[in-house]
Structures are given as structure tokens and as C-alpha cells.
Amino acid sequence: MKYTVITGASSGIGYESALKFAERGKNLVIAARRTAKLQDLKNEVQKINADLDVIIREADLSLNDNVYAFYESLENIEIETFINNAGFGNFDPINEQKLPKIETMLRLNNEALTILSSLYVRDYANVEGTQLINVSSGGGYTIVAGAVTYCATKFFVSAFTEGLAQELKGQDAKMQAKVLAPAATETEFANRAMDINNFEYEGTVPKFHTAKEMADFMLDLYDSNKVVGIVDGETYDFELKDPIYPYAARNR
């Protein structure tokens, strides 16, 4: 029995993507800090297909010990797809950043993703049909004023994942590594990024996608042989692309 693992599955893109993969008949491991939200998601999945197995993992992945423990808890299941979706943003000028929040963001957005990606690749790189999808941002390709540190974390995600994809290709590995780069998406993202409650996208943000739309784009990327799935920041069209960052292959 094979599973799709999704972190940050309690809301937003992770939640909706879990439902989309359930529609494909995929068994799921869903992880987040909020167990009640994960149970709600499991209930919704079982309405789609009661035969699917849904494993809940409560985990705060901003702590590295928890990251390793989470991956170790998956030792006895076969992982077909691993989606690193957990992460959050921050909107502040650098001289006004709340550093405890920034430290947590760096650990979650970068350290947890790197650890989980590395462990998954180590175990599954040569398993047919496996995919690693890391969720970055349009801010992983364009620096946004007022969100410089957040964008830097996503530049890391994009560069790391594109580089991994190139590396796997150079090794003739069977795994595909891909990066999803949303633009503004109607989720809880803005609330946490700005430390507010109930941010209203409608009437405030000129263009945005819903989490369901982004989950559809996630599936488009999953079905493709491209490395990057990115939302154009001006047109808001979704585009599938080859790696964007330059890559200097090492001569052997």
C-alpha cells in the first residue's frame, strides 16, 4: 500500500491538495500541529472514498527533533509522493522583524524541508514513480518589498528543489523533484504573515487564487514532466516550466 505524505495539511493548499489526491485514490499521511483540523480532513477524505487509509500525524515541524521523529514514524509505510507544504510567511521591514518568529520561519521553511527532502531522497531516489514536491512561492523567484526574509526562505526552497531535480536527472534516478510556486492564495497565510485575524482577500488583493485552484495546479504539476509549476505574478496564469535557475553541472 502506497501513501502520499502532505505536511501543513490542516488548512489551505495542503488541505485541498489532500482532497485532490484522495479523488485520485491515494492513501494519505497528513501532518500538521492542529489535530482537530486533521481529523476534519480525514472525515472529508472518507466521504470521497471510505476505502482510503488516512494516517494523522500531529507534528510541529519548526523543531528539528520533531522533524526527524516525524520521518521515523513513517518507516513502515511506502511513500509514493512527499509534499513539503508546511511553512509560513512574514511581512515586516527587516529592521522591524520579530526575530523569534523569523527563527521559527527559517527552521520550518528551510531546515524542516531540507531534512525531510534529504531523508526521502536517500530512501526513495531509485524507486519508480516517486515524486517530491516542495511548495515555494512566486516570492521564491521575485523579491517582494516588505517580505524580504520570507522571499529569501522561498528562494532557498526553489533553488534547493531545482538543484535536486537536476542532480537526480544527472544520476538517472527514478524520483522526480518538483517545486510549486503560488502567488497570492486565499488561505490563512496572510493572517500569520501579518499577525492579524481574518484577513479578507476579496476587495483587498487585486488578484488571487483559491486554495482549491492551487490544489488543481498541484495536480497539474504532479501529472507533468516539468520541474517548476509557477503562477505568473502579473497574469496569474499557471505555467509549467523546466528549471529556471542556472545550473552548473560538475565535471566528473
Side-chain angles (χ1 to χ4, degrees):
M1 188 179 290
K2 298 179 181 180
Y3 288 80
T4 296
V5 177
I6 303 177
T7 68
S10 59
S11 65
I13 296 171
Y15 185 101
E16 297 295 341
S17 294
L19 297 178
K20 292 294 181 182
F21 277 95
E23 290 173 1
R24 295 282 186 95
K26 303 295 185 181
N27 299 300
L28 296 166
V29 177
I30 50 176
R33 295 173 301 153
R34 297 178 292 182
T35 307
K37 295 283 189 180
L38 294 176
Q39 187 59 55
D40 289 344
L41 174 55
K42 181 174 181 176
N43 294 341
E44 290 302 312
V45 168
Q46 291 179 332
K47 291 177 185 176
I48 294 171
N49 186 339
D51 294 330
L52 294 180
D53 189 27
V54 181
I55 298 172
I56 288 175
R57 288 286 188 268
E58 179 184 353
D60 179 356
L61 298 177
S62 68
L63 301 172
N64 285 351
D65 286 348
N66 294 349
V67 176
Y68 284 102
F70 167 62
Y71 190 81
E72 288 167 7
S73 78
L74 309 177
E75 184 178 8
N76 294 321
I77 71 169
E78 184 177 357
I79 304 171
E80 182 178 46
T81 305
F82 202 115
I83 300 172
N84 280 307
N85 171 68
F88 68 89
N90 184 72
F91 287 99
D92 278 313
I94 290 175
N95 64 339
E96 296 178 12
Q97 292 182 141
K98 303 175 185 68
L99 288 179
K101 180 183 180 184
I102 296 302
E103 290 172 9
T104 302
M105 182 176 71
L106 290 169
R107 289 195 299 269
L108 182 60
N109 291 13
N110 295 154
E111 292 183 26
L113 179 140
T114 302
I115 292 167
L116 292 172
S117 297
S118 300
L119 292 171
Y120 182 54
V121 170
R122 185 178 299 172
D123 289 342
Y124 287 90
N126 289 307
V127 177
E128 192 69 49
T130 54
Q131 289 198 37
L132 170 71
I133 301 177
N134 288 333
V135 178
S136 180
S137 168
Y141 293 92
T142 301
I143 299 172
V144 178
V148 171
T149 305
Y150 166 68
C151 289
T153 71
K154 292 302 187 177
F155 266 70
F156 175 90
V157 172
S158 297
F160 172 80
T161 311
E162 287 194 20
L164 172 58
Q166 299 272 26
E167 193 171 88
L168 290 170
K169 182 179 179 180
Q171 296 169 350
D172 293 322
K174 295 177 180 177
M175 178 184 290
Q176 293 178 287
K178 301 175 180 181
V179 57
L180 181 71
T185 307
E186 189 178 26
T187 65
E188 295 178 359
F189 174 87
N191 290 343
R192 191 166 187 194
M194 294 185 278
D195 296 315
I196 60 175
N197 295 315
N198 302 317
F199 179 85
E200 293 291 338
Y201 281 78
E202 193 68 50
T204 305
V205 181
K207 292 182 180 180
F208 62 89
H209 289 115
T210 65
K212 288 183 179 180
E213 288 173 322
M214 280 310 310
D216 284 330
F217 297 154
M218 174 84 77
L219 267 291
D220 290 343
L221 177 61
Y222 175 82
D223 289 335
S224 79
N225 289 317
K226 297 295 187 179
V227 171
V228 180
I230 188 169
V231 174
D232 184 288
E234 294 184 2
T235 66
Y236 268 62
D237 293 334
F238 182 68
E239 301 172 350
L240 295 167
K241 296 187 174 187
D242 293 322
I244 294 170
Y245 285 121
Y247 180 74
R250 186 173 63 181
N251 293 325
R252 295 183 179 180

